[in-house]
């Protein structure tokens, strides 16, 4: 061990360079053998000039700074703070709105319809005519005693979203389902009251209710007296 250490110390720089060169030559000769061997690593020699060569940089336009120094004073370029569109808007009067009011407006427009699932059905505009039509629909069992409908036990409440339309008959229903102009009315109540049968039924129903209400009162005895004076048997 001592002898080998002494030999290493006696090697000169020229001898060390020669040994490194011999090793590099041996690696160069054995490189094809390493490449053909399966699973062997490939030994590549990299020149010293390629390691020291810096990469090429892409030259492009460098952005100019917003702030420039004029001696000890920093100045800002005002032309770069705003573009032309913003500069034009800054010279005009601006309308400032309360964010709470804006949010309420957005919610109001958003809730003005029932949504796309219900074909954007508008909110109900409860006019007096529509209110009477809805009352008539709830009391439709009175119109025809021979028809029976499901009783509505809930409270009389108008729908939140609804729309009123007009049904137009098709060309094949010209004689079967066509209404004449004099039979067309503006509201559903007007159409019902225009029918003679329903009107007579309403009158008889009204008379029955009034006779039951006035039974045993002055009007009842007054009517009874008039009938006796005329000789009408009761």
């Amino acid at each position: 061990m001592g002898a080998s250490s002494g030999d290493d110390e006696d090697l000169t720089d020229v001898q060390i360079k020669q040994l490194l060169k011999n090793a590099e030559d041996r690696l160069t000769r054995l490189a094809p053998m390493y490449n053909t061997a399966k699973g062997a690593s490939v030994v590549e020699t990299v020149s010293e000039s390629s390691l020291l060569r810096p990469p090429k940089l892409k030259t492009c336009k460098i952005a100019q700074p917003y702030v420039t120094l004029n001696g000890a004073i920093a100045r800002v370029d005002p032309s770069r703070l705003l573009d032309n569109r913003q500069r034009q808007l800054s010279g005009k009067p601006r309308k400032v709105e309360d964010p709470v009011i804006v949010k309420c407006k957005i919610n109001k427009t958003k809730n003005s319809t029932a949504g796309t699932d219900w074909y954007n059905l508008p909110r109900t505009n409860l006019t007096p005519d529509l209110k009477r039509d809805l009352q008539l629909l709830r009391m439709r069992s009175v119109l025809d005693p021979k028809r029976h409908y499901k009783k509505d036990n809930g409270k009389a409440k108008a729908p939140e979203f609804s729309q009123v339309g007009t049904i137009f008959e098709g060309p094949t229903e010209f004689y079967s389902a066509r209404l004449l102009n004099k039979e067309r009315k503006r509201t559903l109540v007007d159409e019902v009251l225009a029918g003679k049968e329903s009107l007579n039924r309403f009158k008889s129903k009204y008379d029955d209710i009034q006779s039951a209400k006035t039974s045993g009162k002055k009007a009842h005895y007054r009517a009874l007296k008039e009938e006796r004076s005329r000789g009408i048997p009761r």
Side-chain angles (χ1 to χ4, degrees):
M1 295 291 290
S4 61
S5 62
D7 295 338
D8 294 339
E9 292 177 355
D10 294 335
L11 291 174
T12 61
D13 295 338
V14 177
Q15 292 175 344
I16 293 173
K17 288 182 179 181
Q18 185 64 33
L19 291 174
L20 292 174
K21 186 178 180 182
N22 296 337
E24 187 177 354
D25 294 339
R26 285 197 299 271
L27 290 175
T28 304
R29 289 195 302 271
L30 294 176
M33 297 174 61
Y34 291 152
N35 292 335
T36 54
K38 186 177 181 181
S41 60
V42 178
V43 179
E44 296 181 357
T45 58
V46 181
S47 62
E48 187 177 357
S49 60
S50 62
L51 292 175
L52 299 178
R53 187 182 303 119
K56 292 183 178 180
L57 298 177
K58 293 183 179 179
T59 58
C60 59
K61 187 178 180 181
I62 300 174
Q64 297 297 324
Y66 286 79
V67 182
T68 57
L69 290 176
N70 187 4
I73 301 173
R75 298 184 182 277
V76 180
D77 188 3
S79 62
R80 303 189 59 195
L81 295 178
L82 297 174
D83 55 9
N84 294 331
R85 181 175 175 277
Q86 293 177 347
R87 196 179 301 279
Q88 291 175 0
L89 293 176
S90 63
K92 297 179 181 179
R94 240 178 233 190
K95 183 180 179 182
V96 180
E97 294 182 347
D98 189 357
V100 178
I101 298 175
V102 173
K103 189 175 180 180
C104 290
K105 287 181 180 179
I106 293 172
N107 292 334
K108 188 176 180 181
T109 55
K110 185 178 180 181
N111 299 328
S112 61
T113 61
T116 55
D117 294 340
W118 291 92
Y119 304 100
N120 294 324
L121 202 65
R123 189 176 291 276
T124 303
N125 183 18
L126 195 61
T127 58
D129 294 338
L130 181 60
K131 190 175 181 179
R132 284 194 295 269
D133 290 345
L134 293 175
Q135 289 176 354
L136 182 63
L137 287 175
R138 282 193 293 270
M139 296 184 294
R140 60 186 178 271
S141 58
V142 183
L143 299 177
D144 191 354
K146 296 181 180 179
R147 288 188 180 183
H148 301 280
Y149 299 95
K150 183 180 179 181
K151 291 184 178 180
D152 189 8
N153 296 325
K155 295 182 179 180
K157 187 178 179 182
E160 186 177 0
F161 301 97
S162 64
Q163 193 172 18
V164 180
T166 305
I167 298 176
F168 292 93
E169 65 278 354
T172 58
E173 300 172 341
F174 185 80
Y175 295 102
S176 60
R178 184 175 66 90
L179 290 177
L180 301 176
N181 290 333
K182 62 181 180 180
E183 295 175 349
R184 297 179 186 273
K185 302 299 178 182
R186 192 172 58 87
T187 60
L188 185 61
V189 177
D190 295 339
E191 289 184 3
V192 172
L193 293 177
K196 293 181 180 180
E197 296 180 0
S198 60
L199 192 59
N200 294 332
R201 192 182 301 114
F202 291 155
K203 284 183 179 179
S204 61
K205 191 70 175 178
Y206 177 78
D207 293 339
D208 294 341
I209 293 172
Q210 288 301 110
S211 62
K213 282 187 176 181
T214 58
S215 178
K217 296 183 180 181
K218 290 183 180 180
H220 174 71
Y221 289 112
R222 193 181 298 114
L224 189 59
K225 260 181 166 183
E226 290 178 359
E227 290 178 358
R228 287 177 180 174
S229 63
R230 292 175 189 172
I232 301 173
R234 183 80 177 176

